[in-house]
Amino acid sequence: MRGIIVRGIKFLKKQSIAIFFLAIFVACPCWAGNALLKKIDSIRLTDTEKAAALMEQVEISSLSEQERFFFEYLQAYFSTFSGDLAHTLNLYSDLLPNLAPGELKIRTLGSMLNIATSMSKWQQSFELGSILESELQGPYSLESKFNAYHNLAKAKLFAEQYSLAKYYVERMLDGVFDKASHRCIAYTTQNEFLDRIDEYPLDFESRANHAISECRAASQSFYEILNQHLLFRYYISNSQLNIADSLIVKIKHGIEQFGFVYADSAIRSAFAEYYLLKQDLPTAREQALKVIDADPNEQYAETLITAYTTLAEVAKREGNFEQAYQYLNKKTELRDSFHKQSVAKSLAIQQAKFNLAEKESELALMSERYKLAKAESELSVVQLRNNRLLLGLVCVLLAGLCLWSFRNRTVQQRLRVLATTDPLTGLYNRAHFTDIADGFLQSAKLNNQTVSLMLLDLDHFKRVNDDFGHKVGDWVLREVVRYLHELAPKSATLARMGGEEFAVLLRETCSDEAMKLAEVCRTAVETLETHMTGKKFNLSASFGVCDTNQTGYKLDTLLSAADLALHQSKKYGRNHVYQHAS
């Protein structure tokens, strides 16, 4: 057995990462009355060789029937390391009919589901998933249910059934699963789902960092590295290469620690893309070749396609067009093969769905015939009652739908306002201002229109809050905004950029005209009457102005120029208006 494990570790380094998930995640507290079996089960993930050696010490003749079933389950588990997954699946299949509903049956179904999915046995995978779903209706422990949800989520994600994968990810995120390891695995699976469907939300970076923190707290090192890899891919997709730099050393250390080829290949494939973007062609080529060398049997088509794409681009940039052509041919060959496999998978899944639906339809038809025969004498009364109930239900549903629609529209409108405006002043917030300004600048560029930006910052505003309280400070901010509305053109776009800083985007306005407006606004702030607050104090503001003739139509540049002018105003005494010097 120990020899099998040593050879098996080498085998695992040539198998899909789905097998790794199989070995790790079908791990839950399960019945094991025998102390030795219980010890084997507790260390089989952390010290596989020792666990295999202990299997040889088990006296099978002394085991009860239930203990023998658990022993057979462990035998099937360790056979995974032999490399013959078909044999492992047969062992589980032989064991399953002997198992009564319980924790061991859930574990066995989860293991079978993972193996069938990794072997692309889609019809069997679909049927096993259906059985596992029905078993979950029983009174199982939270640990068993969590692992079942995770197995189902991974299987559905691997089969590209994304809506079902999302459903099981949401079940994993249910607050009832409150262990640190639960949170780590659930957040990681959610991030894998978002990465797989290539739809990163705006907060993906914070999601990934949160998952990393949770996994670190739960001592789940593999998941920590996996989330770092997902975050690395996210930075590359958004061309944030400088931030991606900080993750390379951590990820490299992680793949050396775990050494699974699929994970290693996926990460190195991402490294190759990263170095290509950094114009480091030798390193990009080196990483891509390592992906290819690690997979001589071409089992991981997706990572190989990415590697050959990178190699072709490197060769093209180096002027080696013949080699680039060869790499592109290999990429095309792999893509065609991958497409054929995807089509076969889709057909198999559809066939499995059809077969299952056909069986369910037959059972439903038999049940309906029985019901019709039994209720024939009372049919007219039942129909009348049902029609009345149905009519009442429809009325209730329509009323509920109307109420829900009204409330939902109200909530959506309020959320839209909260997401785009500053609650104190009613101005656009910085994020929404950025979106509007970007679009407007592009339109102005096409029409060759000049756009000016005015930034203002209230001088020593912190003293107002400290000396007179935040209520007075809030009054000042609202009064300044009132003046800006009165003095700025109707076509201007106003925003609170943060704290006491405001922005005014002026359409078809040059910087000289913006300077005049800024001076009028500065005077208005300086002469603001504060006696209404019951306090007497002076106010002033510093202004920075620039236009697109000086900076171009890129918002970041326009903001930087106006901010530089604003800092000059601050630097040279405050209560001034400065124009950016191009």
Side-chain angles (χ1 to χ4, degrees), residues 202-316:
L202 294 177
D203 62 344
F204 184 81
E205 181 179 15
S206 63
R207 287 174 185 250
N209 283 321
H210 180 63
I212 290 170
S213 299
E214 290 284 354
C215 293
R216 186 177 297 130
S219 300
Q220 297 283 346
S221 302
F222 177 81
Y223 285 111
E224 183 180 346
I225 296 300
L226 180 55
N227 278 290
Q228 288 171 347
H229 172 226
L230 295 173
L231 187 57
F232 182 79
R233 283 168 51 85
Y234 168 75
Y235 287 143
I236 292 177
S237 69
N238 286 279
S239 301
Q240 296 175 280
L241 303 184
N242 291 334
I243 305 179
D245 284 339
S246 62
L247 292 173
I248 289 182
V249 174
K250 297 177 182 178
I251 297 174
K252 284 183 176 178
H253 174 73
I255 60 177
E256 290 171 0
Q257 176 184 357
F258 292 101
F260 287 94
V261 166
Y262 178 80
D264 182 271
S265 296
I267 292 171
R268 292 195 184 280
S269 178
F271 282 172
E273 291 183 279
Y274 163 78
Y275 286 116
L276 181 63
L277 290 173
K278 296 276 284 187
Q279 303 295 326
D280 186 350
L281 301 185
T283 308
R285 179 173 49 246
E286 176 189 354
Q287 294 296 326
L289 288 173
K290 285 184 178 180
V291 173
I292 295 170
D293 292 342
D295 187 13
N297 296 326
E298 298 182 350
Q299 298 180 84
Y300 315 123
E302 290 182 88
T303 56
L304 289 175
I305 289 171
T306 303
Y308 278 114
T309 302
T310 301
L311 288 170
E313 183 61 25
V314 170
K316 185 176 75 172

Side-chain angles (χ1 to χ4, degrees), residues 114-152:
N114 275 280
I115 293 177
T117 302
S118 66
M119 294 176 67
S120 300
K121 291 181 174 291
W122 302 113
Q123 183 168 339
Q124 185 176 9
S125 171
F126 194 84
E127 292 173 352
L128 287 167
S130 179
I131 296 172
L132 185 55
E133 288 171 332
S134 63
E135 283 290 328
L136 283 175
Q137 304 304 316
Y140 292 111
S141 68
L142 289 178
E143 192 73 26
S144 292
K145 288 188 175 182
F146 181 83
N147 282 315
Y149 288 148
H150 185 241
N151 285 323
L152 288 163

Side-chain angles (χ1 to χ4, degrees), residues 47-62:
D47 194 343
T48 309
E49 290 192 48
K50 183 177 179 180
L54 290 175
M55 283 287 287
E56 298 175 357
Q57 300 178 21
V58 175
E59 296 182 7
I60 301 176
S61 60
S62 65

